[in-house]
Amino acid sequence: EFLGSSCTPLLVFINSRSGSQQGDLLITQFRRLLNPIQIWDLANGGPEKVLKSFSVLSRFQVLICGGDGTVSWIISALEKMELKRWPPIGILPLGTGNDLARVHGWGGGYNNESLLYILKQISEAYISMLDLWELDITTVNKKGKTRKEVKAFLNYLGVGVDAQAALQVHNLRESKPKLFFSRFFNKAYYALAGGEEAIKNSCTNISEQITLVADGIE
């Protein structure tokens, strides 16, 4: 055992690009409350190295400050590590939708509440289980060649107009992050992208192009 019986370090991941870009302020505030090595800004790189360094501890907790996509990113990284014991994960919702955080009782969005209060909530929170799904994707091109991918996902999987709209907004966020300063306007971008895809009929006849097999049942 590396730690005493009452010591469980908290590793904080912050996605400064999520939602209304509250991440930079949170990084400053968390560094006043915790050791700086416990805080990682995902704008500086992925979570893998930091998770690996903390995995040598007998136990630790993770707080993810971001949206649903950020949570999926961290959980996918943990899944690839094949840990014998997963750390409990809390969510500080900074994203636009924050559906996963809402379902698990972390709220629909961070509104500048006291971080001391949030840290207290984390220390007292109970652990609930979460399903992690494995997705096998097989694509066939016009020449008949196949390509296979395996991905993990949680919460839900979008296919069609909603997925295309989400990708469009993601690409816009990556290229012009300053446009995403408000959850209200972020949702407006999703609505515009979804409307555009619906008008273009970009996913016409998608049901004829995709075969869905769940637990061996087509």
Side-chain angles (χ1 to χ4, degrees):
E1 290 284 326
F2 288 92
L3 307 171
S5 58
S6 62
C7 182
T8 305
L10 178 68
L11 173 58
V12 181
F13 288 104
I14 300 175
N15 188 345
S16 54
R17 289 189 174 184
S18 287
S20 52
Q21 299 186 16
Q22 298 164 292
D24 289 336
L25 177 60
L26 283 175
I27 290 170
T28 301
Q29 292 178 333
F30 269 119
R31 283 176 176 166
R32 294 173 181 167
L33 299 172
L34 303 172
N35 190 311
I37 66 171
Q38 294 175 254
I39 300 146
W40 181 252
D41 182 2
L42 291 164
N44 295 329
E48 292 81 6
K49 289 185 178 180
V50 185
L51 285 170
K52 186 176 180 180
S53 65
F54 269 71
S55 67
V56 302
L57 301 174
S58 55
R59 60 185 173 277
F60 66 100
Q61 295 176 314
V62 172
L63 175 63
I64 303 174
C65 305
D68 290 338
T70 306
V71 177
S72 296
W73 184 10
I74 304 299
I75 288 181
S76 293
L78 284 166
E79 197 268 339
K80 291 176 182 177
M81 293 175 66
E82 298 182 350
L83 298 175
K84 292 182 179 179
R85 179 181 178 183
W86 277 49
I89 297 170
I91 305 172
L92 185 60
L94 301 183
T96 301
N98 303 309
D99 295 325
L100 188 62
R102 188 181 292 107
V103 167
H104 280 267
W106 294 103
Y110 174 64
N111 293 307
N112 300 315
E113 294 89 349
S114 166
L115 292 186
L116 284 174
Y117 172 70
I118 290 170
L119 291 174
K120 185 174 185 293
Q121 281 188 311
I122 292 170
S123 67
E124 298 174 350
Y126 66 90
I127 297 175
S128 60
M129 303 303 291
L130 177 66
D131 288 329
L132 182 64
W133 295 77
E134 183 177 88
L135 179 67
D136 295 307
I137 306 172
T138 303
T139 56
V140 183
N141 63 21
K142 294 180 179 179
K143 296 181 179 180
K145 292 184 178 180
T146 61
R147 186 182 68 172
K148 294 186 177 182
E149 294 181 82
V150 179
K151 295 181 178 292
F153 76 94
L154 65 159
N155 210 15
Y156 48 71
L157 171 70
V159 178
V161 170
D162 63 324
Q164 187 64 36
L167 177 61
Q168 186 174 328
V169 173
H170 170 74
N171 291 336
L172 180 62
R173 188 200 304 271
E174 290 296 306
S175 61
K176 299 179 180 179
K178 291 184 179 180
L179 291 177
F180 293 80
F181 58 88
S182 159
R183 287 194 185 95
F184 175 80
F185 284 104
N186 294 357
K187 291 178 181 179
Y189 293 137
Y190 278 102
L192 289 171
E196 180 183 350
E197 293 300 327
I199 292 171
K200 291 193 305 185
N201 288 325
S202 60
C203 298
T204 302
N205 300 323
I206 191 172
S207 61
E208 299 175 7
Q209 303 173 38
I210 294 177
T211 301
L212 176 64
V213 181
D215 291 335
I217 301 174
E218 184 174 327

